[in-house]
């Protein structure tokens, strides 16, 4: 494998125990460079390989539905690993502390971790590095071009990141090998917790409802990818922006939970027979826009507050802070989808009832929060709360970047000045009506929500 996907976070003394792979973002066996790298280290050191996942019951903004999607997917991971002779242990609690304890108890040879740009994950890794004596490596198995290779600074917009990504694609968009197999027994029996214990620790886990079109796990993810490539990709470049149609891939929940590899997705799309403009449009979203979001969060630790907005946007929003708002809604009214705007209400319902709002409506939804709350700070706070709480793909760099784009002009440029928005790009109901059949969208959402 290309070992530039890995980077050493901490040097240390190699212990006598196993190589530990700490899975916390890329929850899959197939197409997982972090697992492949950990397996490579274990073969080189002639040490066993052990995969560990630690469920944090206090994970920021996670609901029972998110936990259920993850835990069911992890059961498939455990089975897939067992079939390949690789041991898996499930822990519960504060992940950095639990994984650090495990590494010390087992005298780990090394720890290999997933890469994640989010604040609390960077904190987990820093804590782990402080508490372990063995080397700690991190592998970016989530992005096609590893985030720390694509760019070493915050990129201004897609236009500045795109050429850097494209320059690296020949190196990183390579073929994916079969998942590793281990013939050496894991050696240790570190215990771990059972499904029953998880169900006792996470309120409402047993009864959490998962939408029928999003089944957890990498097998369901690969089926959805195949379906999209064979019957959804054709026409993507035009259909994806029409919320009344089913023109997007619908892959974001699996991509978010790392049950589907972006690289596998890119390879499947690139080699399909679909028209070139559809393939290019999809790969731009999947690679450039998605990796821009990771770049944004890695380089802006305040990615979920208004302080991350560019200077021009903060200035223009401050200038218009006192503008009268046409409508003012409380967080409760917004959460309940009780505004004067049927399209916005439908978008909110789509999110709360199905776990996934259409991408085009997400932009409109975010912009109206700016217009209908008392300040950008309030809009930002409510947007993050709703997005993280209800989207199955929420709590993701894409969400933080998308919200900061909608409300705070991140990765965008100044537009013509107008009330409330200042120079931040504006969207309105008339614009939706020009673009697609709003009534058909509302009817579609009502049908999906069983109304
Ligand atoms: P497709 O159009 O089929 O795209 C395929 C993949 O490309 C997506 O799954 C995603 O990984 C990536 N992608 C597509 N559009 C974008 C984009 N604009 N930015 C970054 N990556 C993109 N995406 C999330 O994954 N989680 C979120 O919580 C989230 N919240 C958002 C909130 C707002 C306010 C906005 C404006 C956008 C948000 N997005 C979020 C980005 C985008 O809307 C979704 O990724 C997309 O709608 C997911 O549906 P899909 O997989 O069917 O997309």
């Amino acid at each position: 494998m290309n070992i530039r996907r890995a980077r050493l976070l901490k040097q240390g003394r190699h212990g006598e125990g196993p190589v530990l792979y700490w899975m916390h973002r890329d929850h899959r066996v197939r197409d997982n460079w972090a697992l492949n790298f950990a397996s490579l280290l274990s073969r080189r050191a002639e040490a066993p390989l052990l995969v560990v996942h630690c469920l944090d019951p206090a994970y920021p903004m996670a609901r029972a539905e998110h936990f259920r999607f993850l835990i069911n997917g992890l059961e498939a991971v455990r089975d897939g690993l067992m079939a390949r002779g690789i041991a898996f242990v499930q822990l519960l609690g504060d992940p950095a502390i639990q994984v650090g304890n495990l590494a010390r108890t087992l005298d780990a040879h090394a720890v290999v971790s997933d890469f994640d740009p989010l604040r609390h994950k960077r904190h987990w890794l820093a804590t782990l590095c402080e508490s372990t004596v063995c080397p700690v490596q991190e592998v970016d198995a989530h992005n096609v071009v590893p985030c720390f290779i694509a760019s070493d600074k915050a990129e201004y917009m897609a236009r500045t990141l795109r050429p850097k990504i494209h320059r690296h694609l020949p190196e990183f968009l390579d073929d994916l090998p079969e998942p590793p197999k281990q013939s050496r027994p894991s050696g240790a029996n570190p215990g771990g917790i059972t499904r029953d214990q998880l169900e006792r620790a996470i309120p409402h886990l047993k009864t959490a409802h998962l939408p029928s079109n999003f089944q957890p796990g990498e097998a369901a993810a690969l089926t959805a990818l195949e379906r999209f490539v064979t019957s959804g990709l054709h026409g993507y470049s035009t259909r994806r922006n029409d919320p009344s149609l089913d023109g997007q891939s619908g892959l974001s929940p699996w991509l978010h939970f790392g049950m589907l590899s972006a690289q596998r997705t890119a390879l499947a799309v690139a080699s399909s027979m679909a028209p070139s403009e559809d393939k290019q449009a999809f790969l731009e979203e999947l690679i450039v826009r998605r990796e821009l979001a990771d770049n944004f969060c890695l380089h802006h630790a305040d990615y979920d507050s208004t302080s991350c907005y560019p200077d021009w946007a903060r200035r223009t929003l401050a200038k218009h802070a006192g503008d009268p708002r046409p409508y003012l809604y409380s967080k409760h009214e917004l959460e309940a989808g009780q505004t004067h705007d049927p399209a916005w209400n439908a978008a909110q319902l789509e999110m709360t009832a199905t776990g996934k709002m259409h991408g085009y409506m997400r932009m409109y939804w975010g912009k109206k929060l700016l217009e209908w709350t008392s300040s950008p700070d309030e809009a930002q706070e409510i947007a993050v709360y709703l997005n993280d709480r209800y989207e199955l793909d929420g709590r993701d760099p894409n969400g933080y970047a998308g919200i900061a784009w909608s409300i705070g002009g991140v990765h965008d440029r100044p537009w013509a000045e107008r009330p409330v928005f200042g120079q931040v790009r504006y969207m309105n109901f008339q614009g939706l009506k020009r673009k697609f059949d709003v009534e058909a969208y509302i009817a579609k959402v009502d049908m999906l929500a069983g109304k």
Side-chain angles (χ1 to χ4, degrees):
M1 74 169 271
N2 184 342
I3 57 164
R4 293 209 316 136
R5 286 194 167 88
R7 68 174 176 178
L8 185 66
L9 292 183
K10 185 203 160 187
Q11 295 194 321
R13 174 190 65 75
H14 289 294
E16 299 294 317
V19 171
L20 273 191
Y21 163 35
W22 177 18
M23 180 182 277
H24 57 86
R25 191 185 197 195
D26 291 285
H27 305 109
R28 61 182 185 275
V29 177
R30 288 203 154 269
D31 311 326
N32 185 337
W33 290 116
L35 174 65
N36 295 355
F37 182 70
S39 167
L40 181 74
L41 291 190
S42 85
R43 283 200 308 277
R44 275 190 194 156
E46 299 188 356
L49 170 62
L50 177 64
V51 179
V52 55
H53 180 273
C54 181
L55 195 82
D56 178 2
Y59 192 94
M61 294 305 293
R63 302 168 74 214
E65 287 75 9
H66 295 126
F67 281 124
R68 183 149 189 199
F69 197 84
L70 173 60
I71 290 168
N72 288 6
L74 282 168
E75 287 177 347
V77 166
R78 183 202 54 211
D79 295 347
L81 289 170
M82 267 173 59
R84 287 169 176 78
I86 301 171
F88 174 79
V89 60
Q90 176 69 61
L91 303 178
L92 179 70
D94 182 320
I97 294 175
Q98 296 283 335
V99 175
N101 287 345
L102 184 67
R104 278 195 309 282
T105 310
L106 299 180
D107 191 22
H109 176 80
V111 177
V112 175
S113 163
D114 285 336
F115 164 83
D116 196 315
L118 296 186
R119 216 167 37 231
H120 55 283
K121 296 284 194 86
R122 301 316 301 164
H123 181 68
W124 286 0
L125 269 172
T127 308
L128 179 83
C129 286
E130 275 167 26
S131 69
T132 46
V133 288
C134 68
V136 178
Q137 307 246 16
E138 94 181 319
V139 178
D140 188 351
H142 211 75
N143 292 299
V144 177
V145 178
C147 189
F148 42 81
I149 289 199
S151 171
D152 57 5
K153 61 173 194 196
E155 291 295 334
Y156 195 61
M157 47 177 55
R159 180 168 54 75
T160 62
L161 182 64
R162 190 176 298 112
K164 298 181 183 178
I165 294 275
H166 281 274
R167 194 174 323 130
H168 287 295
L169 278 184
E171 179 182 351
F172 290 104
L173 193 51
D174 51 356
D175 286 342
L176 286 155
E178 278 298 302
K181 272 195 171 145
Q182 293 281 118
S183 47
R184 171 184 302 274
S186 101
N189 179 9
I193 57 153
T194 61
R195 174 91 191 200
D196 272 0
Q197 288 169 300
L198 288 176
E199 283 176 356
R200 280 199 294 277
I202 312 284
H204 313 299
L205 184 67
K206 248 181 162 164
T207 50
H209 168 75
L210 291 180
S212 58
N213 46 340
F214 295 119
Q215 288 308 306
E218 52 187 297
L222 288 172
T223 305
L225 172 62
E226 197 184 324
R227 194 172 50 239
F228 172 65
V229 170
T230 49
S231 57
L233 181 56
H234 198 114
Y236 173 84
S237 60
T238 49
R239 289 167 49 88
R240 75 192 158 120
N241 278 331
D242 185 338
S244 70
L245 305 176
D246 198 13
Q248 291 188 283
S249 70
L251 294 175
S252 58
W254 293 290
L255 287 166
H256 162 71
F257 281 98
M259 293 170 187
L260 179 64
S261 140
Q263 185 171 347
R264 164 71 57 199
T265 307
L267 289 170
V269 165
S271 64
S272 85
M273 302 299 282
S276 169
E277 66 265 25
D278 296 323
K279 298 203 275 190
Q280 291 317 313
F282 183 82
L283 293 174
E284 165 73 11
E285 300 299 332
L286 177 78
I287 304 180
V288 177
R289 299 282 162 173
R290 211 172 58 91
E291 303 204 2
L292 182 64
D294 259 33
N295 168 278
F296 168 66
C297 290
L298 184 63
H299 295 283
H300 291 98
D302 55 351
Y303 49 75
D304 52 355
S305 72
T306 56
S307 56
C308 74
Y309 300 172
D311 288 347
W312 68 262
R314 275 191 285 152
R315 266 197 310 274
T316 194
L317 289 170
K319 184 175 160 198
H320 290 271
D323 290 357
R325 271 58 180 160
Y327 301 90
L328 273 181
Y329 295 110
S330 67
K331 187 175 183 172
H332 178 72
E333 286 167 323
L334 292 162
E335 189 163 9
Q338 287 168 349
T339 76
H340 65 284
D341 178 338
W344 195 94
N345 296 346
Q348 177 66 19
L349 177 63
E350 186 179 27
M351 176 169 73
T352 53
T354 72
K356 185 172 178 293
M357 190 193 299
H358 189 279
Y360 190 80
M361 292 308 293
R362 294 192 199 208
M363 299 190 275
Y364 180 74
W365 174 88
K367 300 230 166 254
K368 293 297 138 183
L369 289 175
L370 171 60
E371 199 173 352
W372 301 338
T373 53
S374 61
S375 68
D377 282 317
E378 192 188 6
Q380 170 76 33
E381 192 270 315
I382 293 176
V384 168
Y385 164 77
L386 294 175
N387 195 78
D388 280 359
R389 189 167 165 73
Y390 292 109
E391 297 284 17
L392 202 44
D393 62 20
R395 305 161 306 125
D396 188 280
N398 283 350
Y400 302 119
I403 289 166
W405 175 90
S406 302
I407 301 173
V410 165
H411 301 148
D412 206 355
R413 64 172 174 84
W415 292 73
E417 195 158 355
R418 52 174 303 121
V420 184
F421 285 76
Q423 289 176 289
V424 171
R425 188 197 295 246
Y426 176 68
M427 285 173 81
N428 68 5
F429 187 76
Q430 293 311 320
L432 296 190
K433 286 217 305 205
R434 279 194 298 276
K435 213 158 169 66
F436 65 92
D437 183 345
V438 175
E439 292 306 320
Y441 169 64
I442 294 170
K444 182 181 107 178
V445 172
D446 283 347
M447 202 257 297
L448 289 172
K451 256 177 94 177

